[in-house]
Amino acid sequence: MDHGMNHGDMHMDHSMHHDGMNMDHCGMSHDGMNMNHGGMHHMHHMGNLKRKFWISLILTIPIIIMSPMMGMKMPFQLTFNGSDFLVLILGTILFLYGGYPFFTSCIGEMKNKKPGMMSLITMGISVAYVYSVYAVIANDILNVKPMVNDFFWELSTLIVIMLLGHWIEMNSVMNAGSALNKLAALLPDNAHLIAEDGSVKEVNVHDLNEEDTILIKSGEKVPADGTIIDGKTALNESLITGESRDVQKSVNDNVIGGSINGSGSIKVRITGTGESGYLSKVMNMVSEAQSSKSESEDLANKVAGYLFYAALIVAVIAFVTWSLLHGVIYAIPITVSVLIIACPHALGLAIPLIISRMTSISATHGLLIRNKTSLEGINKIKYALMDKTGTLTQGDFKVNAYDSLDNNYEKQDIIKIAAAIEQSSSHPLAEGIINAFAELNSDELKANNIEEISGSGIKGTINDKEFMVVSSSYLDKNNIEYNSADTDKYLQQGNSLSYLVSDGKAIGYIAEGDSIKPGAKEMIQFLNKQHIIPVMLTGDNQQAANKIADILGIKEVNAQLVPEEKQQIVTKYQQNGKVMFIGDGVNDAPSLTKADLGIAIGSGTDVAIDSADVVLVNSDPADVINLIKLAKQSHTKMIQNLWWGAGYNIIALPLAAGVLSSIGIIIGPMLGAVIMSLSTVIVAINAMTLKIK
């Protein structure tokens, strides 16, 4: 990487500041997840739905015993004088009580002029009820001959099956969001606050403030984000970051609220509580990803709308046709069957369940999905463009060599002057220079007027003389001569080179080496197997970039880039296919935003993370593998669920309408209800089997 490329990149600690995040731990509510199922709003809460199902089932049992199915009397059935009126009373209670959630949601759909799944269910049970009331009046009051078959048996079982299906589905929704609940439960209730006089008192976690000092004993949960000021320990951060091994921590290291302290006691100064805490931000990210509408959800809703109108048309045609051929009494059950089968209830949950499950899984694997819509095109990604330093390599530069190129300066002067200018920079190359100077145990120089050179380096004045620490590309661009023979051997070893310049002349050089991240090669191999072409974009010199690329197996390399050129290259590649970009620096933010899928390394800068669609919390490039696997599995499950939720109607609707009745094949109301509810249960189970594999 070019010395100037990522100047100002700051290794972000775990107190990430994500704009717009405001979810307090104590205020986290899963019920707030905005998964609006056709206006059902979670069917009035899980407990209410469960109670409604059991009461409806109790009402259904006597109806089944006293009412014939499709006019056929079963051996277990019991009828007596007035039993029809008792069935009518029970059926009316069931219709109004058990059907209430469907009615209220239907009204909402109609007000929005978007009839859908709830409208179809309401229409189906309403037709069955009204016709059954007519049947009781005709048979028991008007004594119409032949007798009219009622549909209380079908009505009651349909409502119970629908409620059972909803109960199962809502339970699945709750389970799908369980990662949020687990995250919310990570923080302890109390903390040990150290007062100014050194005494320790136990306080509620919500009473903690930034800059407070707390004591965390062995085995306790960390109550808030902070920095260790005394002691050392090992923290288990697995539930937060997905990293299974314990992380060693000592003075000046950051700790995350919700992680578990190991064997040592530590004192921590709090840096983030409540809404500013890392855990709250993670939960907010997950919740936002779950609640935002995606293209697939919009597609599912459109399909539900088309199905509503298709069912109406088929039902009207079937009713008119069979009424003309065999009469209204014969046509009603066929019409009811069409309306029951067409209920696209499963379709409404087909996509939200998958997305909810996907974001929950990703959160516990160190993948924070900020924009789930971007993952839907995962199968169309053709190129994976990526930064080098901090993404493929550790960004932990060590000075391997430095020397003077001017007789007026000693070798040590070069590192001494460069360190003075770099003192205020947190760039990885700058840190390497400062660390190398510290080993000299020499007196520091004082630099003033420090200023960044956009995309190229940094400059400052020492004793009224201006010095610059820049890249070779800056020298080439400004026609500053230097003898490359002195430095070529370091480039061939994969080092990054910085030059010290004064009075328009290169007076010295510093060669720094970086190590490749353990998961980088595994990621590149996986991308190649997926036929996604890896491309390296870096501000570093060509030789250093090629060295890293050869080790990793990357064929396409674009080196010595300035920040705006990265975004231009993303645009260029997009002309040939969809592009994902993986980066971590301030200069990567435009590219992360421009790419079809932007992936930020979690240890990168706030700006990069806020620009990304997905954040890799563990800063491990190998996590890209899990991300792609999860996204592809989710896409496959979505397609499967769309077919389970609506595809069966292609066959079921014509059969319910009676197109094959001449050969004895026809779907009745009860079978229609079973098929519809079965598809719903299959959709829920299919979603819950989603996993990274």
Side-chain angles (χ1 to χ4, degrees):
M1 174 175 44
D2 186 327
H3 175 70
M5 269 303 286
N6 281 333
H7 245 297
D9 286 11
M10 286 170 264
H11 285 288
M12 188 191 70
D13 62 25
H14 277 109
S15 58
M16 293 190 291
H17 302 293
H18 295 291
D19 293 345
M21 297 183 178
N22 55 4
M23 183 176 295
D24 185 32
H25 166 67
C26 60
M28 177 64 195
S29 166
H30 180 73
D31 290 341
M33 276 172 50
N34 183 15
M35 193 185 298
N36 183 356
H37 164 37
M40 287 293 284
H41 298 294
H42 284 317
M43 288 282 287
H44 309 281
H45 190 271
M46 192 72 178
N48 189 19
L49 179 62
K50 184 178 178 181
R51 183 172 64 251
K52 204 170 277 287
F53 165 75
W54 285 114
I55 292 174
S56 297
L57 180 61
I58 291 168
L59 290 169
T60 295
I61 293 171
I63 292 175
I64 290 175
I65 293 172
M66 293 185 286
S67 178
M69 183 185 79
M70 296 293 289
M72 296 182 292
K73 199 166 183 178
M74 299 295 180
F76 59 81
Q77 284 178 327
L78 172 68
T79 56
F80 50 86
N81 287 334
S83 62
D84 288 350
F85 291 106
L86 181 56
V87 169
L88 174 60
I89 293 169
L90 293 173
T92 301
I93 296 171
L94 178 60
F95 174 66
L96 296 174
Y97 176 75
Y100 178 77
F102 306 108
F103 303 149
T104 53
S105 299
C106 172
I107 291 169
E109 288 182 351
M110 292 303 180
K111 280 183 179 177
N112 293 327
K113 297 180 180 177
K114 288 185 178 178
M117 54 199 79
M118 296 299 104
S119 303
L120 280 175
I121 294 172
T122 299
M123 188 180 297
I125 61 177
S126 297
V127 168
Y129 174 73
V130 170
Y131 188 77
S132 296
V133 171
Y134 160 70
V136 172
I137 294 171
N139 295 333
D140 294 273
I141 298 176
L142 303 178
N143 294 314
V144 172
K145 300 295 181 185
M147 288 186 67
V148 179
N149 291 329
D150 67 64
F151 294 101
F152 281 118
W153 202 100
E154 291 77 17
L155 169 70
S156 59
T157 51
L158 172 58
I159 289 175
V160 168
I161 289 172
M162 289 293 186
L163 289 173
L164 176 61
H166 276 296
W167 180 14
I168 293 171
E169 292 152 13
M170 290 306 103
N171 192 42
S172 298
V173 171
M174 296 302 179
N175 290 338
S178 61
L180 286 174
N181 299 329
K182 287 176 185 174
L183 286 170
L186 283 178
L187 293 180
D189 295 324
N190 300 310
H192 309 297
L193 179 66
I194 302 176
E196 290 183 6
D197 61 2
S199 63
V200 179
K201 63 175 180 177
E202 193 164 295
V203 298
N204 190 289
V205 116
H206 303 302
D207 294 330
L208 294 175
N209 298 303
E210 291 187 18
E211 299 303 319
D212 281 350
T213 302
I214 54 175
L215 173 67
I216 305 168
K217 299 176 181 177
S218 175
E220 291 183 339
K221 290 181 179 179
V222 177
D225 296 0
T227 304
I228 297 175
I229 58 172
D230 184 39
K232 60 180 181 178
T233 188
L235 289 184
N236 182 336
E237 300 176 342
S238 60
L239 281 174
I240 301 164
T241 65
E243 186 65 44
S244 58
R245 64 177 180 274
D246 287 352
V247 182
Q248 296 296 322
K249 300 279 184 177
S250 57
V251 174
N252 294 328
D253 284 339
N254 296 306
V255 297
I256 310 171
S259 51
I260 301 170
N261 188 20
S263 56
S265 291
I266 51 175
K267 292 179 181 177
V268 171
R269 180 173 291 113
I270 295 174
T271 58
T273 63
E275 294 177 7
S276 66
Y278 173 75
L279 200 57
S280 282
K281 292 167 184 175
V282 171
M283 291 191 291
N284 199 21
M285 272 184 165
V286 176
S287 184
E288 283 177 354
Q290 287 177 330
S291 65
S292 59
K293 277 279 183 186
S294 72
E295 291 174 8
S296 296
E297 285 174 290
D298 288 337
L299 175 62
N301 290 331
K302 282 181 183 176
V303 172
Y306 294 144
L307 194 54
F308 171 77
Y309 291 110
L312 273 182
I313 292 168
V314 173
V316 169
I317 292 172
F319 180 75
V320 172
T321 303
W322 290 112
S323 293
L324 293 173
L325 292 175
H326 296 286
V328 174
I329 293 175
Y330 187 88
I332 285 289
I334 293 175
T335 306
V336 172
S337 295
V338 170
L339 294 171
I340 291 170
I341 286 173
C343 295
H345 194 83
L347 186 62
L349 282 179
I351 306 303
L353 273 177
I354 296 287
I355 291 172
S356 178
R357 175 76 175 157
M358 176 182 71
T359 48
S360 296
I361 292 173
S362 63
T364 54
H365 282 79
L367 306 169
L368 300 186
I369 299 173
R370 304 185 73 233
N371 176 14
K372 65 178 183 245
T373 306
S374 61
L375 290 175
E376 293 183 11
I378 194 71
N379 288 323
K380 296 178 182 175
I381 295 289
K382 188 175 180 181
Y383 301 100
L385 277 55
M386 59 199 78
D387 181 36
K388 178 174 77 70
T389 306
T391 301
L392 296 172
T393 62
Q394 299 284 11
D396 182 17
F397 284 89
K398 290 181 175 61
V399 173
N400 293 325
Y402 58 92
D403 206 349
S404 171
L405 297 173
D406 187 315
N407 293 331
N408 295 319
Y409 294 91
E410 297 290 329
K411 176 180 178 180
Q412 289 191 357
D413 291 336
I414 302 304
I415 200 76
K416 197 171 183 178
I417 294 168
I421 295 171
E422 296 281 17
Q423 201 66 47
S424 63
S425 174
S426 58
H427 183 277
L429 284 169
E431 290 177 10
I433 291 170
I434 293 166
N435 291 336
F437 169 71
E439 293 174 6
L440 295 178
N441 293 318
S442 178
D443 294 335
E444 283 186 19
L445 293 174
K446 178 66 177 174
N448 299 307
N449 305 319
I450 293 172
E451 192 180 323
E452 284 194 29
I453 304 169
S454 180
S456 299
I458 193 168
K459 64 181 179 180
T461 56
I462 299 174
N463 297 327
D464 297 325
K465 190 176 182 66
E466 186 175 81
F467 294 92
M468 294 187 290
V469 182
V470 294
S471 61
S472 58
S473 60
Y474 179 88
L475 302 183
D476 295 335
K477 197 177 293 183
N478 291 276
N479 298 316
I480 297 173
E481 292 184 8
Y482 63 100
N483 188 354
S484 59
D486 294 324
T487 55
D488 275 352
K489 60 181 179 182
Y490 298 114
L491 292 176
Q492 290 165 7
Q493 292 167 5
N495 287 282
S496 294
L497 280 172
S498 301
Y499 289 87
L500 186 62
V501 174
S502 182
D503 294 328
K505 181 183 176 184
I507 61 172
Y509 68 86
I510 302 168
E512 296 182 72
D514 191 8
S515 56
I516 294 172
K517 286 189 175 182
K521 190 163 188 175
E522 185 185 356
M523 176 188 71
I524 299 301
Q525 290 173 341
F526 177 80
L527 290 172
N528 283 321
K529 286 179 184 176
Q530 295 291 312
H531 305 293
I532 297 173
I533 301 167
V535 182
M536 182 194 291
L537 307 185
T538 179
D540 209 345
N541 64 76
Q542 191 71 51
Q543 287 170 287
N546 287 341
K547 184 79 174 177
I548 299 295
D550 288 342
I551 295 170
L552 294 175
I554 299 173
K555 306 295 183 193
E556 297 188 30
V557 179
N558 294 267
Q560 292 176 275
L561 302 173
V562 294
E564 56 269 23
E565 287 177 329
K566 282 189 177 183
Q567 188 179 9
Q568 291 167 6
I569 291 174
V570 170
T571 304
K572 178 184 167 187
Y573 274 94
Q574 282 177 321
Q575 294 171 359
N576 299 316
K578 284 190 176 288
V579 168
M580 79 164 73
F581 185 90
I582 312 165
D584 73 325
V586 169
N587 62 63
D588 294 332
S591 302
L592 287 164
T593 305
K594 179 66 180 172
D596 299 289
L597 173 59
I599 302 172
I601 296 294
S603 61
T605 63
D606 290 358
V607 177
I609 285 167
D610 286 340
S611 305
D613 299 308
V614 180
V615 180
L616 308 182
V617 175
N618 301 325
S619 303
D620 184 356
D623 284 343
V624 172
I625 298 172
N626 282 338
L627 177 67
I628 293 174
K629 284 181 176 179
L630 182 60
K632 290 198 169 189
Q633 280 292 314
S634 299
H635 181 76
T636 301
K637 292 280 188 184
M638 285 178 186
I639 300 301
Q640 290 171 351
N641 272 8
L642 283 174
W643 276 106
W644 279 116
Y648 70 91
N649 284 285
I650 296 170
I651 298 172
L653 277 180
L655 288 179
V659 294
L660 295 180
S661 61
S662 58
I663 57 173
I665 298 176
I666 190 165
I667 297 178
M670 180 54 197
L671 185 56
V674 171
I675 291 173
M676 211 276 338
S677 297
L678 187 61
S679 71
T680 302
V681 173
I682 291 172
V683 160
I685 293 172
N686 192 40
M688 295 314 299
T689 56
L690 174 66
K691 58 184 178 180
I692 298 175
K693 61 180 179 180

